[in-house]
């Protein structure tokens, strides 16, 4: 039995963009062993679609700051990124996504109805997402252009500061209550996104910024790829009060498969069992209810558990949930329906 699933976060477009070979559309459509998602394996696994992130990466000279070990008390924030550089990289990833759509490899969707239609037609359904708002100007002119192109989901920060807010550093045994809240421009960005029907993603945002979004937004609170702080005390994970706020808003959290945000020791190492992923799902269901839990892999952006490895390993996770006693109806909600419903409540 193949249960279709929708992925809350992947960095596959950046993985493709960084590949030195010129035939990037063919790499994705025909198979790319170096990536964790490509079209043949997505179809094999039952992947119905996902949030395809455009992540403006740090400049190569800044990578040492990003590479600080999450198991130490270090974990500095990388320097802020210039808007021109951010727009260059995000535009390149968006262009690649639209080339993939033109080639029939995926369908860019803006509403729940469009997602359901694409999935019914057997197409890989993609939501246009930015991980970090560095490519958006504080006058929001670029946001209007992005929206017209199909952009519907925004993470205000990655793990660095920008004009709108401050992200969390990659730190283990540390609370995400680090740094200031949203700037005035960040608060206005939340209001504008609410009005336009652009979903706000709280993953990577610090606690003060989270509180600001919760106070301003009238939409469900969402963390597309985050886990449970009580199990893995990483700044990237959600504390009890954050989970409670998400539940109260009718929001959703997508389980992150990155080992450093699953393992209690915070190590980015693949030697762990799927049972630990199930433990996080158990805690998320307890905190959020059956409608608040989904999947958010972080494929092509993180170290995966060895039993998962790539997109073809997701059915193993779903089977583990079934084996744990989760009914098929609930597993299907976690795998697919909760994301589709959330899109309907936030984007239309």
């Amino acid at each position: 039995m193949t249960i279709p699933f929708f992925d809350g976060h992947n960095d596959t477009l950046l993985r493709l963009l960084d590949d030195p070979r010129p035939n990037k559309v063919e790499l994705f459509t025909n198979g790319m062993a170096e990536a964790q998602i490509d079209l043949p394996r997505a179809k094999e696994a039952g992947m119905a679609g996902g949030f395809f992130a455009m992540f403006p990466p740090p400049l190569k000279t800044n990578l040492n700051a990003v590479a600080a070990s999450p198991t130490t008390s270090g974990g500095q924030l990388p320097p802020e990124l210039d808007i021109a550089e951010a727009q260059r990289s995000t535009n390149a990833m968006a262009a690649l996504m639209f080339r993939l759509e033109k080639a029939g490899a995926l369908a860019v969707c803006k509403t729940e109805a469009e997602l359901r239609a694409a999935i019914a037609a057997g197409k890989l359904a993609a939501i246009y997402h930015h991980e970090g708002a560095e490519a958006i100007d504080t006058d929001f002119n670029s946001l209007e252009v992005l929206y017209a192109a199909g952009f519907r989901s925004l993470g205000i920060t990655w793990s660095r500061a920008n004009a709108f807010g401050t992200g969390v550093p990659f730190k283990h045994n540390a609370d995400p209550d680090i740094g200031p809240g949203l700037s005035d421009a960040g608060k206005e960005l939340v209001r504008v996104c609410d009005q336009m029907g652009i979903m706000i993603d709280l993953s990577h945002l610090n606690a003060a910024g989270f509180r600001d979004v919760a106070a301003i937004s009238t939409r469900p609170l969402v963390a597309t790829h985050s886990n449970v702080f009580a199990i893995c005390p990483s700044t990237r994970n959600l504390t009890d009060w954050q989970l409670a706020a998400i539940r109260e808003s009718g929001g959703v959290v997508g389980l992150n498969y990155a080992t450093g945000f699953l393992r209690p020791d915070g190590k980015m190492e693949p030697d762990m069992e799927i049972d630990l992923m199930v433990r996080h799902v158990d805690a998320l269901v307890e905190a959020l209810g059956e409608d608040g839990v989904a999947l958010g892999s972080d494929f092509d952006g993180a170290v995966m558990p060895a039993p998962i490895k790539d997109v073809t390993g997701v059915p193993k996770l779903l089977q583990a949930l079934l084996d744990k006693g989760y009914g098929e109806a609930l597993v299907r909600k976690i795998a697919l329906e909760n994301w589709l419903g959330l899109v309907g409540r936030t984007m239309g």
Side-chain angles (χ1 to χ4, degrees), residues 77-101:
L77 287 174
E80 294 187 37
L81 189 65
D82 179 74
I83 188 171
E85 175 59 27
Q87 289 179 342
R88 183 202 65 78
S89 59
T90 53
N91 287 346
M93 284 177 271
L96 178 54
M97 178 183 67
F98 288 122
R99 291 183 191 117
L100 289 169
E101 182 177 44

Side-chain angles (χ1 to χ4, degrees), residues 180-203:
L182 299 184
S183 65
D184 289 343
K187 293 174 182 177
E188 185 61 20
L189 176 64
V190 174
R191 296 185 187 99
V192 171
C193 286
D194 264 18
Q195 293 165 3
M196 296 177 74
I198 296 173
M199 189 193 86
I200 295 292
D201 179 12
L202 297 163
S203 300

Side-chain angles (χ1 to χ4, degrees), residues 262-279:
L262 288 165
R263 296 169 56 124
D265 63 10
K267 293 182 178 179
M268 284 286 185
E269 295 178 1
D271 58 331
M272 54 159 283
E273 299 300 323
I274 289 179
D275 287 350
L276 184 53
M277 302 176 76
V278 174
R279 184 180 167 197

Side-chain angles (χ1 to χ4, degrees), residues 83-156:
I83 188 171
E85 175 59 27
Q87 289 179 342
R88 183 202 65 78
S89 59
T90 53
N91 287 346
M93 284 177 271
L96 178 54
M97 178 183 67
F98 288 122
R99 291 183 191 117
L100 289 169
E101 182 177 44
K102 186 176 181 179
L106 52 77
V108 180
C109 301
K110 301 179 287 295
T111 65
E112 179 185 0
E114 289 183 7
L115 285 173
R116 291 190 182 278
I119 292 168
K123 297 179 181 178
L124 189 63
I127 292 177
Y128 185 174
H129 171 82
H130 276 197
E131 185 176 28
E134 286 85 353
I136 296 171
D137 61 277
T138 54
D139 293 323
F140 308 126
N141 295 323
S142 54
L143 189 64
E144 295 282 355
V145 174
L146 287 167
Y147 185 86
F151 176 72
R152 291 297 183 273
S153 178
L154 172 65
I156 296 176

